[in-house]
Each structure stands twice: as structure tokens, then as C-alpha cells.
Amino acid sequence: MSFAAPPASAAWSHEGARSGFEVAYFEPADEGYHLRGCTTAVEHDVPWIVGYDITVDRAWKTRRTVVTARWATGARTTVLEADGEGHWWVDGAEAGDLDGCLDVDLESSAMTNTLPVHRLALPPGRRASAPAAYVRADDLAVERLEQVYEHLVDNDRRHRYDYSARAFEFACTLVYDESGLVLSYPGIAARTA
């Protein structure tokens, strides 16, 4: 299973869980891709902004992530670094609870659900665990998030995956385009550009 190269940019309208908008830019690099974006949103009557700069290697394993958030009460930046073998450092400190994670997942972003799908390259009918370094939008706290993706039968050029995150008692069917970018994330976001 392989995907087409991502477009130069993409955008999502957030829905359900929050009201907001996300824009991401995809820049090929010698070592893989630089993924830069920003989400502005209102959630539980609290507005926030989260910007990100993610570097993935050629296998789509997350290698470095810089996340900056701004709220009415201030701003914060968190830096995650990974060796591509499942070892992580958060703001320079080793994060053993993230051992085995190969992806970053930003609560603020629909785009980051692209990372495990590219990395796993599951053929239809296959299922895999994809634990991630999960970064919360409200305080940039980092924790381990157990996730499962199952590639369903595709519909034309649309790729469908059953997704679940037990910690949130959440499950849905994600729809991706030929570039492996989320088109539909029920209750969370829909692609607009």
C-alpha cells in the first residue's frame, strides 16, 4: 500500500468537539517531510491557538516536533524528539512512558492522523496498533495514547480505516484521500481544501 505525495497544503474545518480551523503545509526534505501547520479553535468556550512543526523521516516515523500553544493566560512551547526506534525525549528529558511510539498525535490536529497511516502502509483487511506520543491542546502535556487502525475495503480513490482510541472510548471510520490525508474524521474535522 502506498500513497501519492501530499499536496503543498491542506485545510480542515473542525466540528463537533470544537469549533475551529486547521491549515497544514507539506514540504519534502532530504530526510522525509516537514509538516507545518496551525489550528485555531474554541473548545468549552475557551479559544486557543496551536502551531506545529513536525519532521518525519522517509518511513513517516516522527523524528522531531515543536508545538507552540497560546491561550488567554499565556503561551508555551514543547519539543519532542524521537530516534525513529521508539525512544522519545520531551523538552530534553527522556520519556520512557512513550517507548515504542513512532508517531506524534496532536489533540488539536486532524492532520496528525496521516502519520500512522503512511507509516503502517496497511493493505486492506489488515489491522495494527499505533501507539502515539499524544500532545494535549489545553496545556501541551504529553502522554502515551494507544490507538488501533484497520484498513477497510477502499471506495474508489478513498481509503477507509476503522480507528479506535480506548482511553477516550472513541471509535469511528476515517476516510483518507489518495495522499493519505484525512478527508472525514467524524465528530472532529472535515477536509475543506
Side-chain angles (χ1 to χ4, degrees):
M1 171 79 216
S2 63
F3 293 102
S9 63
W12 295 264
S13 178
H14 286 239
E15 55 192 28
R18 67 180 65 98
S19 174
F21 202 75
E22 177 180 6
V23 175
Y25 300 95
F26 305 89
E27 180 183 333
D30 290 341
E31 68 276 10
Y33 276 93
H34 291 292
L35 316 171
R36 295 180 176 97
C38 183
T39 299
T40 58
V42 176
E43 189 169 12
H44 306 297
D45 297 323
V46 177
W48 46 259
I49 300 168
V50 175
Y52 54 86
D53 188 335
I54 301 169
T55 301
V56 296
D57 63 21
R58 290 178 189 206
W60 284 82
K61 295 177 185 175
T62 302
R63 300 308 295 269
R64 180 176 167 81
T65 302
V66 179
V67 187
T68 300
R70 180 168 298 283
W71 314 274
T73 56
R76 179 170 180 208
T77 296
T78 295
V79 178
L80 294 85
E81 296 177 285
D83 64 1
E85 301 299 322
H87 302 98
W88 292 75
W89 294 262
V90 177
D91 294 327
E94 190 170 355
D97 56 325
L98 301 177
D99 280 356
C101 296
L102 299 173
D103 310 299
V104 69
D105 187 339
L106 307 182
E107 179 182 25
S108 63
S109 172
M111 187 283 300
T112 53
N113 287 80
T114 293
L115 307 181
V117 169
H118 270 268
R119 181 181 58 73
L120 291 167
L122 295 171
R126 296 295 303 269
R127 168 188 177 106
S129 294
Y134 185 70
V135 183
R136 294 215 175 248
D138 61 355
D139 59 4
L140 298 191
V142 181
E143 60 195 57
R144 181 187 191 93
L145 178 63
E146 299 294 337
Q147 304 177 107
V148 176
Y149 288 81
E150 180 178 355
H151 191 170
L152 303 174
V153 174
D154 293 332
N155 181 5
D156 194 23
R157 294 183 313 171
R158 302 294 184 241
H159 304 282
R160 300 179 324 120
Y161 289 77
D162 272 348
Y163 166 80
S164 63
R166 189 173 0 151
F168 301 123
E169 296 180 357
F170 181 82
C172 70
T173 297
L174 300 172
V175 179
Y176 293 81
D177 69 7
E178 63 274 5
S179 297
L181 295 179
V182 173
L183 290 170
S184 173
Y185 191 155
I188 304 293
R191 178 95 171 270
T192 59

